[in-house]
Amino acid sequence: MMKRIAGMFVVVAGLAGWQAAFAQAQTTAAPADRANNVRQLSNELRWHDAEGHKQYLRIKEDRTKRLLSEVDGFISETVSPSATTAGQVKAGLDALLGHTMGEGRDSAAFSVNLPNGHFLIIGVELWRGGGAMSEDAMSFRAYRETENKFVLVADTDYRHTGDVSEESWEPLVNLSVKALPTAPVASQFWFIASAVVPPRMPPTVTMRLFAFDGERFRTVWTRQDFIAPDDRSAMQFTQDGGFTLSRMPDPHGDKVVIEQYVVTADGPQKVTEWETERR
């Protein structure tokens, strides 16, 4: 019991410190109740034994939806479109969801101006599963500035599209989100998202390119899962606005294949590839 109370204090204290850093941007009270709700729901999405796993399978979709609803409420009630930066939003989300530096779970936030409005786009990763069997829920959510607050207008989930076990295990961890330096379609916001399919090492990476047009998210491109030397550096932008992927044909070898892509309005097009050695 004392351990649970201590953990709850860390989440609430973290949020309080984040809010104090830019208190002038806030018009609502400190979200202590919301932080407690998030912690409660998050705990219910983790299991530790066979009976807990059965309960988890029964409730995971409901608790995930409720947790994402808490995130939406946090954005709407706490974030000021005119005074809060994307960096502050990311820090607030990480504190709300109990993310700690170095654990591999990070939120993402982007302030985006499109012809049809000013938007806040976030990517969140919710810790789910038990022990080494992580199957984190990942969601992208877009909010439009409306009467000096952000209102949810679109969302899309990032799920693993590979094999799923009989127990509906959806292994996925370590969400990474990078905005394209320049979107091929000027009226849209494009970003590349990737995640790791546990538990293999070197990591198996899943990757997709998304576009947001002010009304909905669209999956522009899906890369077949590949083995990378390191998940955080598996994709690198190039100076021409394209990107490279680093993949390992043999997870037990040292050979690395670098694939180079340009990004067009129709999606990424591979232009060349070459081999190198794993460092």
Side-chain angles (χ1 to χ4, degrees):
M1 180 67 178
M2 290 298 294
K3 191 173 182 179
R4 180 176 178 178
I5 293 174
M8 191 178 300
F9 174 78
V10 169
V11 174
V12 175
L15 277 169
W18 171 73
Q19 281 202 311
F22 58 103
Q24 292 181 347
Q26 309 308 307
T27 58
T28 59
D33 289 344
R34 191 173 299 284
N36 292 340
N37 290 343
V38 167
R39 180 172 176 78
Q40 171 82 27
L41 292 167
S42 297
N43 286 339
E44 293 177 12
L45 284 170
R46 296 167 202 156
W47 57 271
H48 307 283
D49 53 35
E51 187 58 36
H53 185 222
K54 292 179 182 179
Q55 172 70 4
Y56 164 80
L57 291 176
R58 288 194 295 267
I59 68 172
K60 76 171 184 176
E61 294 301 329
D62 172 76
R63 298 304 189 271
T64 299
K65 290 179 181 178
R66 288 170 58 183
L67 195 47
L68 289 172
S69 180
E70 292 287 346
V71 169
D72 294 337
F74 174 77
I75 294 294
S76 179
E77 296 172 5
T78 311
V79 177
S80 167
S82 61
T84 310
T85 67
Q88 289 168 333
V89 173
K90 178 190 180 306
L93 288 168
D94 284 340
L96 178 72
L97 298 173
H99 295 168
T100 58
M101 186 175 298
E103 72 174 2
R105 293 181 176 88
D106 294 301
S107 305
F110 305 92
S111 179
V112 178
N113 289 305
L114 298 177
N116 50 356
H118 174 216
F119 298 87
L120 173 68
I121 296 176
I122 67 169
V124 291
E125 179 174 355
L126 311 180
W127 186 9
R128 301 193 309 188
M133 297 179 64
S134 292
E135 51 170 1
D136 293 355
M138 302 176 184
S139 179
F140 300 112
R141 315 182 76 75
Y143 309 85
R144 186 199 305 270
E145 179 180 352
T146 305
E147 297 180 354
N148 202 35
K149 69 176 182 178
F150 282 117
V151 177
L152 181 71
V153 294
D155 67 275
T156 190
D157 294 333
Y158 190 117
R159 292 180 178 269
H160 181 226
T161 56
D163 293 336
V164 177
S165 72
E166 295 178 358
E167 296 179 332
S168 299
W169 183 36
E170 303 171 277
L172 207 61
V173 295
N174 293 11
L175 176 66
S176 176
V177 187
K178 298 179 181 179
L180 261 66
T182 303
V185 181
S187 61
Q188 300 178 2
F189 174 71
W190 287 37
F191 61 95
I192 293 179
S194 64
V196 173
V197 183
R200 303 181 189 91
M201 289 299 291
T204 297
V205 175
T206 173
M207 184 174 293
R208 292 168 214 163
L209 173 63
F210 292 91
F212 176 69
D213 63 4
E215 296 182 356
R216 66 184 182 91
F217 287 99
R218 174 173 62 93
T219 302
V220 178
W221 173 77
T222 300
R223 176 64 166 82
Q224 183 179 357
D225 293 358
F226 62 98
I227 298 172
D230 175 76
D231 63 292
R232 292 295 174 176
S233 59
M235 190 279 293
Q236 298 288 332
F237 288 121
T238 55
Q239 292 183 349
D240 60 1
F243 60 91
T244 60
L245 295 185
S246 299
R247 63 177 178 85
M248 298 179 65
D250 180 1
H252 304 292
D254 292 323
K255 181 189 296 184
V256 177
V257 176
I258 309 296
E259 301 177 354
Q260 184 171 354
Y261 293 81
V262 296
V263 182
T264 71
D266 295 323
Q269 308 293 326
K270 187 167 75 169
V271 293
T272 188
E273 68 175 47
W274 63 93
E275 293 182 1
T276 185
E277 295 293 318
R278 185 179 183 183
R279 296 177 180 177

